[in-house]
Amino acid sequence: MTATQQHTTGRVSGIISNLVLVQVDGPVGQNEIGFIQMGDTPLMAEVIKVMGDKAYIQVFESTRGLRPGMEVRFEGHMLEATFGPGILSRNYDGLMHDLNTMSGIFLQKGDYTSALDLDKAWAFEPLAKAGDEVAAGHWLGQVDENGIPHKIMVPFKLKGRYTVDSIVEKGDYKVQDTIAVLKDERGTEHKVSMLQKFPVKQAIKAYREKPRPYQLLETGVRTIDTLTPMVEGGTGFIPGPFGSGKTVLQQAISKQAEADIVIVAACGERANEVVDLFVEFPELEDPWTGRKLMERTTIIANTSNMPVAAREASVYTAMSIAEYYRAMGLKVLLLADSTSRWAQALREMSNRMEELPGPDAFPMDLPAIISNFYARAGIVHLNNGETGSITFIGTVSPAGGNLKEPVTESTKKVARCFYALSQSRADSKRYPAIDPIESYSKYLEYPELQRTLNEQIEERWTDKVNELRNILLRGKEAAEQINILGDDGVSIDTHLTFWRSEIVDEIILQQNAFDEVDARTPLDRQQYMVNKVLEVVDRPLSFDRYEEINPYFKRVINAMKQMNYSAFDSEDFKQNMQELEETLAEREVEEG
Amino acid sequence: MPTAFQRIYTKVEEITKATCTVHATDVGYEELATVNGQLAQVVKIMGEKVTLQVFAGTQGVPTDAEVVFLGKAPSLKVGDALAGRFFNAYGLPIDGGPEVEGREQEIGGPSVNPVRRKQPSELITTGIAGIDLNNTLVTGQKIPFFADPDQPFNQVIATVALRTAADRIVLGGIGLTNDDYLYFKSVFENAGALHRIVSFVNTTEDPTVERLLVPEMALTAAEYFAVEKKEKVLVLLTDMTLYADALSIVSNRMDQIPSKDSMPGSLYSDLAKLYEKAVQFEEGGSITIVAVTTLSGGDITHAIPDNTGYITEGQLFLRRDTDIGKVIVDPFRSLSRLKQLVIGKKTREDHPQVMNAAVRLYADAANAKTKLENGFELTDYDKRTLDFARGYSEKLLAIDVNIDTDKMLDTAWELFASHFSKAEVGIKQSLTDQYWPGQ
Ligand SMILES: Nc1ncnc2c1ncn2[C@@H]1O[C@H](COP(=O)(O)OP(=O)(O)OP(=O)(O)O)[C@@H](O)[C@H]1O
Ligand SMILES: [Mg+2]
């Protein structure tokens, strides 16, 4: 693109909500960005359909007051993310405008702030030297961003091979300063700064290969790590009716997961929930580095009262930023709450354009859109041999809580971990309400993950996980029998089977996200508790009457729960353990 | 009356039940107009074809109707003089008083920048344990009552409103029966609270589509008091189901493809735009929304309650407890999402655990009841849970209980101690040590 390039312009000729029809005077591209000039206010919009000299654009703002005849100027590029040091700790809207530098209490139309601080100087350290052969994504240098080595890379837009003609010395530079000059094969020079842009809807593919994930991504959530583990570079989704705990679970993961970078996309959900992050993240510590959580986090907020068209953009913006950091060889965790709102935004627009609707009036290509998006996550081997990853977990808000709906079904086909939140568990406050029987992690079937788990945690760990699952399954069957036949209509053993599964449920599955200690269980503690639970469950106990079972197990569970609430290996913890042992001893079966 | 600057057109080309289309130029999107004197709003522009939604419906609109564009979006004159007054959906007085003088403010204005919001942290107390103990509310929260049409929801929200320490109460009455309108009027008057209250009312006698304006009118007034006067404003919206019904009527008439339950595909965004006006501002003002969503046949999977539940910060269910013959706030299905921000922090430290333990034991009682109904024998524990549940319902959950939160907690501990052992209650030992009665 050169400075002399002509911009296509056009004039507004029709308006239906935020869908605007534009009569254009030249070429326009699908997904090209345009600005409608409304008095002094530019309104950003994206081309979503072209018919002859008519372009349909979706406006990322309220169109109140827009009039036919207003001028539109097209930019010659698609919606782009802006990359460079200083993205971390920032709060963006769905189009990557900095929310903190906007003026006023209310969001003003056309207040398009810069994604990066253009005046801040960064201590740049070159990693490449003149004469090096490079290509897109090659690390030219690095700066320190909140303690993370932020790599300055050859812009992703540059195709083909280049030679480093010159690179600046170690020193302080602003993001727009030229830090290197590259020469292409024809000898043309390209200036490179620390700032680059890239279309959000295109995947950044500056890597050599995408292997299958093989390593656990620890979240500190017991039911996930132990029973349905997420992996570095994995994908998962959390469907659940309203109030079942999707957001609380996702926020717990965002606080505790073993990741270098966390990108949170608040997509069409409550503003107050984003405020929680704004308030908590600067205070809370990253359990892995001791730094403040906010230092490793970027929040993309398109809350439900923000323009609907920007909702779709928000998840792409978030993914794009994640890809940028992955290309630096970092472990990125990307969370989106809720992907259903994004799908609904697509539906609103598709209906306005009178496209042929698919199931539940969603666009026909919804499954493809979802699948392409999830496919952008993953672990990659970069061209320089380093590894980076994007782990993606999205929530889904199924209409009426019914999982037989297009967004859930399309997502289930592509996401490898399924964390189904159950209404009945949420109703009985069994949080996190992940249904242990319905939910799965396909990764647990990967021999490469089984191998790493058994090496990392302990030999035969995966067998123990299966054992827990079986206890839960048998417990469920026992509960059904008791329901049908009554307490006195089943054997003592059936009662014991049920209560043993209750121990697993209460001690491993249930976890209070609001208790300082219980909220996060590190892997070694999970291992300890799993072994403890299995040991307790394996003990033969003797009871004469079923009536004795319930109060007894309540005491066992209570003692173990207290353990969960006490700091690991603290005095309290040991005391609770003592209590547990005493309780267990009461019912011990005499040997011989 | 048209002035020289207003553009007048007299050739109506198409008329449907709720809309009419005229040839016109230089019209702004969402601009107001009158069609033979009836208020209308621009909902679609295609070249020179402008489609108007006529709020009162198009009955009697002729093809030569006089269409006058007013050059502005729907607005409300805001000022302190709104206090104590009753208005219709257009913001015009219906109480016989004079029109309000004030600054003209467009309704449905911009959203608050999320980084300028404050995290809600101020407790709202109502004296109702089903709310204060189990589902504590906070200023800046939005929460609906999910109620069957025959439940006393309007009485309950009126009670809630009058018991809270709100500086200002804004009532948005959407399709209120005339009786309920008069009910609100008299309770507010009798409580001597009229000066704190602003009401926008569309009754069942008014045109349906007009209802669409009521919530935005109410919220615009609320924003005035919360932003400019830094007041704690409580907005009551009843019945939001009728608002959604009006949305579906309009969108169906505009040939939009309906999604679930014949509701427009944009229902989530439409409702969110209103509910998200609930906010705690840094400067002290706040807007809290307590709404009513009536259910049909108790079905919360219907698109209206379903979308509402996904937007609001919890929901409250009313239920008649046949054992005690009173209306209670159902502890199972009700939930206040923001209670975490205040319970145990702004209230006594034992609040979270006491609340959870009580609900758990109440759930055990529900299981015992099922057993009983299915003809099974009850254990001693089952029987004790049933006794507990009765006391819990009567002394705490019943909507007519009016006590402060500490008293609620003490009552709960007493109930625990008289029916259970400490292990059965399962509360953290440090708390049990301190609060278990009679030790
Ligand atoms: N792990 C947990 N521990 C304790 N309470 C929890 C937990 N998870 C959820 N809750 C409770 O459930 C409430 C609702 O959870 P959350 O907001 O995460 O639901 P959601 O599924 O995101 O709902 P929506 O779809 O409406 O956004 C929380 O406010 C909290 O009271
Ligand atoms: Mg949520």
Side-chain angles (χ1 to χ4, degrees):
Chain A
M1 222 179 303
T2 58
T4 54
Q5 189 193 339
Q6 285 287 313
H7 281 278
T8 297
T9 58
R11 293 206 176 267
V12 172
S13 65
I15 308 156
I16 315 169
S17 190
N18 69 330
L19 176 69
V20 169
L21 194 61
V22 181
Q23 193 75 33
V24 294
D25 67 3
V28 283
Q30 176 72 341
N31 296 115
E32 184 171 343
I33 291 297
F35 286 92
I36 305 173
Q37 205 57 42
M38 189 173 154
D40 295 336
T41 312
L43 303 187
M44 194 169 171
E46 179 187 15
V47 176
I48 52 174
K49 178 172 153 182
V50 183
M51 302 266 279
D53 58 358
K54 285 194 186 66
Y56 290 77
I57 62 176
Q58 61 170 342
V59 185
F60 297 125
E61 300 276 7
S62 150
T63 51
R64 177 180 283 181
L66 203 64
R67 288 163 190 275
M70 284 178 169
E71 195 180 90
V72 186
R73 182 187 145 101
F74 293 90
E75 294 295 298
H77 63 75
M78 296 194 275
L79 179 64
E80 292 178 332
T82 304
F83 298 139
I87 291 174
L88 296 180
S89 325
R90 241 171 254 276
N91 307 315
Y92 294 117
D93 73 4
L95 307 172
M96 214 177 164
H97 301 119
D98 189 342
L99 287 167
N100 289 81
T101 54
M102 290 180 187
S103 57
I105 293 177
F106 292 93
L107 294 166
Q108 303 297 334
K109 281 184 195 175
D111 190 358
Y112 300 136
T113 53
S114 166
L116 299 178
D117 183 344
L118 302 179
D119 298 322
K120 181 180 164 129
W122 295 87
F124 175 82
E125 191 188 317
L127 293 174
K129 54 183 189 315
D132 283 359
E133 288 271 325
V134 298
H138 188 103
W139 300 349
L140 294 171
Q142 65 182 19
V143 302
D144 178 288
E145 182 183 17
N146 298 352
I148 289 155
H150 183 121
K151 303 290 188 287
I152 305 302
M153 295 172 273
V154 173
F156 304 119
K157 276 185 186 170
L158 293 188
K159 297 197 176 79
R161 303 213 53 90
Y162 298 81
T163 317
V164 177
D165 191 55
S166 66
I167 187 159
V168 295
E169 302 269 291
K170 190 171 171 161
D172 289 355
Y173 302 89
K174 293 181 184 172
V175 289
Q176 286 171 305
D177 293 344
T178 299
I179 51 103
V181 177
L182 309 180
K183 262 197 183 143
D184 63 23
E185 279 155 346
R186 285 200 250 114
T188 315
E189 289 191 351
H190 299 261
K191 286 184 181 164
V192 174
S193 71
M194 290 194 266
L195 183 153
Q196 62 161 314
K197 296 190 175 204
F198 199 76
V200 296
K201 286 187 183 164
Q202 281 176 14
I204 295 171
K205 292 215 160 134
Y207 52 78
R208 189 189 306 150
E209 58 173 345
K210 219 181 209 182
R212 291 217 310 184
Y214 51 88
Q215 207 150 22
L216 180 74
L217 183 96
E218 191 182 321
T219 66
V221 178
R222 295 189 288 265
T223 169
I224 294 186
D225 294 351
T226 296
L227 281 156
T228 43
M230 178 44 80
V231 291
E232 226 187 287
T235 52
F237 78 119
I238 309 171
F242 64 78
S244 55
K246 299 181 290 295
T247 306
V248 171
L249 179 59
Q250 237 192 14
Q251 291 193 355
I253 297 171
S254 71
K255 289 172 190 166
Q256 303 165 4
E258 184 193 3
D260 299 319
I261 307 283
V262 179
I263 316 280
V264 180
C267 175
E269 292 288 310
R270 304 172 186 83
N272 277 338
E273 290 173 349
V274 190
V275 176
D276 288 344
L277 307 182
F278 295 156
V279 172
E280 289 180 11
F281 276 37
E283 300 296 323
L284 294 178
E285 272 178 14
D286 172 0
W288 302 93
T289 61
R291 289 166 180 280
K292 294 288 178 251
L293 274 182
M294 201 59 218
E295 295 183 43
R296 68 170 196 183
T297 309
T298 297
I299 297 166
I300 316 290
N302 176 277
T303 57
S304 59
N305 54 343
M306 287 163 84
V308 179
R311 197 159 297 163
E312 185 206 1
S314 69
V315 292
Y316 286 102
T317 301
M319 178 59 88
S320 227
I321 296 173
E323 286 175 333
Y324 175 61
Y325 280 99
R326 174 173 68 183
M328 299 177 201
L330 295 169
K331 240 190 262 183
V332 185
L333 173 66
L334 174 63
L335 301 166
D337 185 15
S338 151
T339 61
S340 294
R341 306 300 163 223
W342 154 42
Q344 286 179 340
L346 294 173
R347 175 169 71 184
E348 280 184 36
M349 203 38 76
S350 145
N351 291 358
R352 253 173 230 136
M353 294 205 299
E354 295 171 8
E355 289 174 355
L356 200 63
D360 288 0
F362 280 106
M364 287 294 229
D365 56 349
L366 183 74
I369 293 172
I370 290 177
S371 149
N372 286 340
F373 187 81
Y374 275 79
R376 287 172 69 171
I379 187 164
V380 299
H381 293 317
L382 301 174
N383 292 323
N384 61 6
E386 300 280 337
T387 304
S389 64
I390 298 174
T391 308
F392 175 59
I393 304 175
T395 66
V396 171
S397 317
N402 179 359
L403 300 190
K404 289 216 169 333
E405 58 90 42
V407 185
T408 313
E409 285 179 334
S410 307
T411 310
K412 202 167 179 185
K413 283 184 196 139
V414 288
R416 312 240 78 197
C417 291
F418 176 55
Y419 302 118
L421 300 190
S422 107
Q423 182 77 63
S424 65
R425 283 187 73 85
D427 284 348
S428 50
K429 316 276 180 218
R430 290 174 175 244
Y431 295 122
I434 298 177
D435 183 321
I437 315 267
E438 293 291 306
S439 305
Y440 56 77
S441 163
K442 290 266 185 224
Y443 300 114
L444 212 45
E445 295 162 14
Y446 289 19
E448 49 269 59
L449 178 69
Q450 292 175 358
R451 217 174 303 126
T452 40
L453 285 176
N454 293 338
E455 273 166 24
Q456 189 185 350
I457 305 172
E458 65 178 60
E459 243 178 274
R460 302 192 40 245
W461 172 256
T462 46
D463 293 342
K464 291 188 173 173
V465 173
N466 280 332
E467 173 68 28
L468 289 175
R469 255 183 196 285
N470 287 335
I471 295 169
L472 288 164
L473 263 173
R474 286 198 299 266
K476 195 179 172 197
E477 286 162 10
E480 280 160 10
Q481 279 187 27
I482 296 171
N483 263 339
I484 298 167
L485 302 171
D487 282 335
D488 49 2
V490 299
S491 66
I492 295 272
D493 272 348
T494 308
H495 280 283
L496 288 176
T497 307
F498 167 70
W499 278 101
R500 284 174 172 144
S501 79
E502 280 291 284
I503 295 184
V504 177
D505 192 330
E506 298 260 4
I507 305 307
I508 306 293
L509 303 186
Q510 293 176 45
Q511 193 169 1
N512 186 345
F514 303 108
D515 183 271
E516 230 170 283
V517 177
D518 197 29
R520 170 173 177 261
T521 310
L523 210 52
D524 56 341
R525 186 172 177 162
Q526 291 191 35
Q527 179 194 358
Y528 182 90
M529 286 313 283
V530 165
N531 281 314
K532 194 83 228 167
V533 162
L534 287 176
E535 182 196 317
V536 171
V537 166
D538 275 345
R539 285 211 197 186
L541 300 170
S542 78
F543 290 93
D544 299 328
R545 300 166 45 241
Y546 75 84
E547 285 97 333
E548 298 162 354
I549 299 178
N550 172 325
Y552 177 79
F553 272 88
K554 286 231 156 118
R555 279 164 57 210
V556 172
I557 287 170
N558 186 46
M560 296 187 84
K561 252 206 156 113
Q562 303 294 344
M563 287 167 75
N564 275 345
Y565 282 124
S566 318
F568 199 28
D569 265 342
S570 63
E571 274 314 304
D572 280 352
F573 186 87
K574 285 176 190 148
Q575 200 188 321
N576 296 324
M577 174 78 98
Q578 177 90 35
E579 230 166 84
L580 172 68
E581 293 301 337
E582 283 163 14
T583 313
L584 290 172
E586 286 173 24
R587 291 282 168 179
E588 203 132 28
V589 178
E590 303 291 323
E591 293 292 325
Chain B
M1 190 200 255
T3 68
F5 300 108
Q6 287 168 331
R7 292 142 295 136
I8 305 172
Y9 299 87
T10 51
K11 199 166 175 311
V12 176
E13 298 189 338
E14 281 166 31
I15 305 172
T16 70
K17 276 188 189 163
T19 64
C20 64
T21 304
V22 287
H23 248 276
T25 51
D26 201 28
V27 170
Y29 194 66
E30 293 188 358
E31 182 173 337
L32 273 185
T34 56
V35 177
N36 267 6
Q38 299 277 16
L39 268 181
Q41 185 177 17
V42 175
V43 290
K44 180 173 174 180
I45 302 176
M46 268 303 145
E48 291 185 357
K49 272 175 85 170
V50 176
T51 306
L52 291 154
Q53 168 183 305
V54 185
F55 290 110
T58 51
Q59 300 95 314
V61 171
T63 48
D64 62 350
E66 187 178 74
V67 179
V68 183
F69 288 92
L70 304 181
K72 60 171 190 186
S75 55
L76 172 72
K77 284 195 177 142
V78 294
D80 292 357
L82 288 169
R85 302 292 308 276
F86 286 81
F87 304 94
N88 68 9
Y90 304 116
L92 302 172
I94 51 169
D95 53 6
E99 269 204 47
V100 168
E101 289 306 315
R103 180 165 49 81
E104 188 142 2
Q105 180 76 42
E106 277 189 7
I107 66 168
S111 307
V112 175
N113 183 340
V115 302
R116 303 283 186 270
R117 281 174 179 255
K118 200 178 156 215
Q119 189 175 42
S121 65
E122 202 174 322
L123 191 74
I124 296 180
T125 56
T126 65
I128 299 170
I131 297 178
D132 297 2
L133 178 65
N134 288 341
N135 299 292
T136 324
L137 303 184
V138 186
T139 57
Q141 182 166 6
K142 45 195 177 292
I143 194 162
F145 278 92
F146 280 174
D148 292 329
D150 60 347
Q151 283 175 329
F153 49 84
N154 283 336
Q155 283 84 328
V156 174
I157 63 167
T159 309
V160 167
L162 292 172
R163 282 202 200 155
T164 61
D167 298 319
R168 192 70 54 188
I169 298 164
V170 182
L171 170 68
I174 306 150
L176 277 189
T177 61
N178 201 48
D179 294 357
D180 278 347
Y181 163 51
L182 296 175
Y183 166 78
F184 275 111
K185 216 171 159 179
S186 74
V187 211
F188 291 162
E189 263 164 13
N190 293 343
L194 217 47
H195 60 284
R196 286 201 286 147
I197 297 170
V198 188
S199 305
F200 296 86
V201 176
N202 157 283
T203 69
T204 43
E205 290 161 28
D206 300 323
T208 314
V209 178
E210 277 181 21
R211 283 173 200 168
L212 294 178
L213 294 169
V214 172
E216 288 192 340
M217 284 287 169
L219 291 163
T220 304
E223 243 167 28
Y224 166 76
F225 287 107
V227 175
E228 294 184 32
K229 301 286 157 179
K230 303 185 177 34
E231 290 184 352
K232 276 179 253 172
V233 185
L234 177 67
V235 178
L236 307 176
L237 298 175
T238 173
D239 168 359
M240 287 297 283
T241 295
L242 299 180
Y243 175 81
D245 285 340
L247 279 178
S248 77
I249 291 172
V250 170
S251 76
N252 289 349
R253 284 180 188 162
M254 287 189 62
D255 300 330
Q256 279 168 19
I257 309 156
S259 63
K260 203 170 167 272
D261 300 319
S262 351
M263 284 291 142
S266 59
L267 182 65
Y268 177 84
S269 306
D270 296 333
L271 292 176
K273 205 162 181 314
L274 300 175
Y275 282 116
E276 280 293 330
K277 288 277 179 194
V279 58
Q280 175 72 56
F281 291 106
E282 305 236 346
E283 291 79 10
S286 64
I287 298 175
T288 309
I289 301 178
V290 173
V292 171
T293 300
T294 50
L295 308 175
S296 92
D299 179 13
I300 62 158
T301 64
H302 183 282
I304 300 172
D306 186 48
N307 279 283
T308 304
Y310 276 119
I311 293 163
T312 52
E313 283 143 350
Q315 62 283 326
L316 299 166
F317 281 90
L318 297 176
R319 175 160 68 82
R320 175 160 286 278
D321 184 332
T322 45
D323 288 345
I324 62 161
K326 284 180 179 172
V327 173
I328 62 168
V329 177
D330 189 334
F332 295 146
R333 304 197 290 162
S334 303
L335 173 72
S336 161
R337 309 274 187 103
L338 301 190
K339 66 185 174 201
Q340 267 87 232
L341 299 170
V342 289
I343 58 171
K345 297 173 191 155
K346 300 284 162 90
T347 63
R348 224 164 67 185
E349 52 167 352
D350 56 327
H351 188 163
Q353 296 233 347
V354 168
M355 165 190 88
N356 284 332
V359 175
R360 225 172 233 269
L361 294 166
Y362 194 66
D364 284 350
N367 287 338
K369 215 167 173 186
T370 317
K371 266 199 209 169
L372 197 63
E373 282 159 6
N374 294 341
F376 293 126
E377 220 174 293
L378 296 186
T379 63
D380 165 58
Y381 176 79
D382 288 337
K383 288 179 192 141
R384 285 183 289 125
T385 60
L386 287 177
D387 288 341
F388 163 79
R390 203 187 160 81
Y392 183 52
S393 251
E394 214 156 48
K395 294 194 176 136
L396 287 169
L397 296 181
I399 208 100
D400 58 359
V401 173
N402 184 8
I403 50 179
D404 70 30
T405 313
D406 280 2
K407 181 84 180 82
M408 291 171 193
L409 292 169
D410 292 342
T411 309
W413 281 110
E414 274 155 30
L415 286 168
F416 292 157
S418 47
H419 301 288
F420 303 108
S421 69
K422 291 179 187 175
E424 282 168 334
V425 175
I427 289 180
K428 217 186 209 169
Q429 197 176 338
S430 56
L431 294 174
T432 316
D433 287 348
Q434 192 177 345
Y435 294 103
W436 195 266
Q439 54 184 359

